[in-house]
Amino acid sequence: MAMVFDNYIVGTLLVSLSTFLFLLLLRRNKNNREKKFEIKTGAVNGTSSGECSPESGSGGDVIIVGAGVAGAALAYTLGKDGRRVHVIERDLTEPDRIVGELLQPGGYLKLVELGLQDCVEEIDAQRVLGYALFKDGRHTRLSYPLEKFCADVSGRSFHNGRFIQRMREKAATLPNVRLEQGTVTSLLEEKGTIRGVQYKTKDGEELRAYAPLTIVCDGCFSNLRRSLCNPKVDVPSCFVGLVLENCELPFSNHGHVILADPSPILFYPISSKEVRCLVDVPGKKVPSIANGEMANYLKAVVAPQVPPELHDAFVTAVDKGHIRTMPNRSMPADPHPTPGALLMGDAFNMRHPLTGGGMTVALSDIVVLRDLLKPLRNLHDAASLTGYLESFYTLRKPVASTINTLAGALYKVFSASPDEARKEMRQACFDYLSLGGVFSTGPVALLSGLNPRPLSLVLHFFAVAIYGVGRLMLPFPSPKRMWIGARLISSASGIIFPIIKGEGVRQMFFPATVPAVYRAPPVD
């Protein structure tokens, strides 16, 4: 009996052990399936799956560094086209910025073209129908030329972070798009070709990811751009940001630009109850917020120039103390075409944010890149891909350069100056836009991205200068007025031609003559 009992115990233990091992194996397989599902669905807070070897090809088709406006929109666009996309973003929580809050109508049309128009819904975004321009007690309203478009087309203004999160969430719904939080520390280069990136996960683990194409769009603070372009960053001014609450703008659904001294002030709605105010302060340094210098400056210098309807709300916002600053950077696009890599967004090209054209340029660039890549089935031929992608830097030029040049030129024209010729140019610009008709719709079509043509920009810019000279010659010309008029033309040339030179004359006006423009995919 004892022996039978012992055998029974041993048998029971063996069955229990077998059952335990079987359940353990099932649990392990389940965890593996769940992990694969998490990676496949691209959960926003996904974890790393380890290093993918370039030989295995398991690293995906495209690595995108950064998930801001450009990165998130690009991830969705390429993922929708069937590419396997790995997005690495240093912080996947909702951003909180004071710029990137106004999308021009031209940018909204690109958003529609990319299938992302629903990302401006459910974030309390406000329709923007044009601008109101204020100078020395006078004002004029400039409406977007939207007559030829459907009723939904207009500008949109919103909280930047809400918009970005909506695009990230939409990109993450695609099964072939994976979003991961991590900091890219370097590009992986082999024999002059970028093979992928090295990055640190949010847990501090150092990993590598490989893909035939790496697209860097990690914003204005990019630490990767130096190997892919000539970064000539200029900081002409800083924006001081405030939020005005429960106040009405003089012109509803319009952005407001005050031609103040020393430089412009902007107001536009970012929600149904909030108005963003951006005060431009020339130079790289601003008064200290900590010791109260900034509050004093805003009350003493800026507040008296604010429209009466907004004065009290402006002072209240200053007293609340939620004052933020942001350097305004400008950087022309000057790339180093590099096999296996591409630059996009603010990491590649920046302009003064006065005209709110940054997101329009980024979305337009994505449309150009999407159309270039669409016929290319194999991205692993680095030489062919590089030659083909060189055309991206050229084909983007007419739209991007028009918006960049206009932003830089308008900022200089709208800023106060002790020079008589510059004063006349500023007044001439205000009066020219106030004429209405083609004199306002033409420049506003350029500003809004609805008609971004370089030649039209140059014609309108010098039409303003000639109009200013004409004003000086009436009723009777005098030697002094003629001299100021000549200097006005010279000043206008000195403003716009250096910007055009920085953008590239040939690429801007004659892109089809640049050899890098390929009209068909490379032959396999």
Side-chain angles (χ1 to χ4, degrees):
M1 288 292 294
M3 182 178 295
V4 172
F5 183 76
D6 290 340
N7 290 338
Y8 175 79
I9 293 176
V10 171
T12 303
L13 289 174
L14 287 174
V15 170
S16 300
L17 182 61
S18 300
T19 304
F20 174 77
L21 290 174
F22 179 74
L23 292 174
L24 184 64
L25 183 61
L26 284 178
R27 181 179 178 86
R28 182 179 178 182
N29 289 338
K30 180 182 178 183
N31 288 341
N32 286 339
R33 288 196 301 271
E34 288 176 349
K35 186 175 183 181
K36 288 178 182 178
F37 178 77
E38 179 181 335
I39 292 170
K40 182 180 178 182
T41 55
V44 170
N45 291 316
T47 57
S48 170
S49 63
E51 181 172 323
C52 302
S53 73
E55 291 80 10
S56 68
S58 60
D61 298 314
V62 182
I63 294 171
I64 297 177
V65 182
V69 171
L74 183 62
Y76 176 77
T77 301
L78 297 183
K80 193 171 63 171
D81 281 352
R83 309 287 183 185
R84 292 174 299 155
V85 182
H86 182 186
V87 186
I88 305 173
E89 162 60 40
R90 68 170 62 91
D91 186 0
L92 284 170
T93 59
E94 183 174 306
D96 184 14
R97 304 179 65 203
I98 65 171
V99 293
E101 298 173 316
L102 177 61
L103 180 66
Q104 297 287 2
Y108 179 76
L109 287 173
K110 296 299 180 183
L111 206 66
V112 171
E113 192 172 347
L114 296 171
L116 288 165
Q117 67 271 23
D118 57 339
C119 292
V120 296
E121 298 172 0
E122 300 178 4
I123 60 172
D124 200 15
Q126 303 298 298
R127 288 170 58 86
V128 179
L129 304 175
Y131 282 88
L133 201 59
F134 292 75
K135 184 180 185 297
D136 300 331
R138 296 174 54 202
H139 65 263
T140 184
R141 184 165 62 174
L142 311 172
S143 298
Y144 293 136
L146 300 173
E147 296 81 8
K148 298 180 181 179
F149 301 95
C150 65
D152 188 55
V153 176
S154 67
R156 296 290 196 280
S157 53
F158 38 67
H159 282 270
N160 172 268
R162 297 176 186 174
F163 178 54
I164 289 176
Q165 287 300 91
R166 286 277 288 162
M167 288 200 294
R168 288 174 177 174
E169 290 165 4
K170 186 158 186 176
T173 62
L174 297 176
N176 49 325
V177 174
R178 172 188 170 204
L179 270 72
E180 180 178 7
Q181 185 163 304
T183 302
V184 175
T185 54
S186 63
L187 301 174
L188 300 177
E189 184 178 343
E190 180 184 326
K191 298 179 181 180
T193 299
I194 302 301
R195 299 295 186 185
V197 299
Q198 181 165 319
Y199 66 104
K200 185 179 292 186
T201 69
K202 63 179 181 179
D203 298 323
E205 185 180 3
E206 289 278 358
L207 295 175
R208 293 183 175 190
Y210 295 92
L213 178 59
T214 299
I215 302 176
V216 176
C217 43
D218 54 346
C220 60
F221 299 105
S222 174
N223 62 345
L224 304 176
R225 66 161 66 103
R226 288 193 174 277
S227 58
L228 301 175
C229 75
N230 295 317
K232 301 173 183 176
V233 181
D234 181 36
V235 183
S237 65
C238 295
F239 266 156
V240 178
L242 298 165
V243 174
L244 281 58
E245 297 178 342
N246 300 314
C247 65
E248 295 291 332
L249 289 165
F251 296 91
S252 60
N253 300 108
H254 282 67
H256 292 58
V257 182
I258 291 83
L259 303 189
D261 188 356
S263 51
I265 307 168
L266 305 180
F267 294 92
Y268 52 87
I270 55 173
S271 74
S272 54
K273 296 182 179 180
E274 297 167 300
V275 171
R276 168 67 70 194
C277 172
L278 294 174
V279 178
D280 186 84
V281 178
K284 298 180 181 180
K285 294 184 178 180
V286 297
S288 171
I289 296 176
N291 64 14
E293 288 180 3
M294 178 62 77
N296 292 335
Y297 173 82
L298 293 174
K299 287 183 178 180
V301 177
V302 179
Q305 303 182 75
V306 171
E309 299 93 329
L310 300 172
H311 181 273
D312 291 347
F314 178 83
V315 173
T316 300
V318 174
D319 289 337
K320 284 185 176 180
H322 299 303
I323 304 171
R324 301 174 60 191
T325 62
M326 176 76 179
N328 293 326
R329 294 173 174 83
S330 177
M331 185 180 74
D334 189 7
H336 297 152
T338 305
L342 196 71
L343 268 174
M344 289 190 72
D346 284 349
F348 173 47
N349 184 203
M350 293 179 281
R351 77 290 308 150
H352 195 285
L354 172 69
T355 58
M359 289 189 289
T360 301
V361 171
L363 295 171
S364 175
D365 284 354
I366 292 170
V367 171
V368 171
L369 182 63
R370 178 201 64 182
D371 294 343
L372 279 172
L373 291 180
K374 190 165 285 187
L376 302 180
R377 295 178 298 276
N378 179 21
L379 300 182
H380 288 270
D381 185 347
S384 297
L385 178 63
T386 301
Y388 196 66
L389 287 180
E390 283 182 11
S391 59
F392 165 76
Y393 293 126
T394 301
L395 291 174
R396 67 178 295 275
K397 273 293 183 179
V399 173
S401 295
T402 300
I403 294 174
N404 294 345
T405 303
L406 182 63
L410 273 185
Y411 176 69
K412 292 184 178 180
V413 170
F414 281 176
S415 296
S417 172
D419 182 74
E420 283 294 328
R422 290 284 295 274
K423 286 181 180 178
E424 288 293 335
M425 184 72 177
R426 192 188 198 205
Q427 187 63 51
C429 188
F430 179 86
D431 291 344
Y432 182 88
L433 294 171
S434 300
L435 293 173
V438 68
F439 305 105
S440 64
T441 57
V444 173
L446 291 164
L447 174 71
S448 62
L450 294 172
N451 182 32
R453 296 181 180 177
L455 186 58
S456 179
L457 166 62
V458 174
L459 290 175
H460 276 289
F461 189 81
F462 280 101
V464 171
I466 294 169
Y467 176 77
V469 172
R471 290 172 65 255
L472 287 168
M473 298 299 106
L474 296 175
F476 300 105
S478 66
K480 180 180 179 182
R481 287 173 173 264
M482 293 175 65
W483 172 242
I484 294 175
R487 288 178 51 229
L488 192 156
I489 296 293
S490 175
S491 177
S493 302
I495 288 173
I496 197 168
F497 285 144
I499 301 174
I500 292 175
K501 182 181 178 182
E503 292 291 332
V505 176
R506 188 179 176 188
Q507 292 91 338
M508 185 172 175
F509 292 94
F510 311 104
T513 67
V514 179
V517 179
Y518 293 86
R519 299 299 181 186
V523 179
D524 292 335

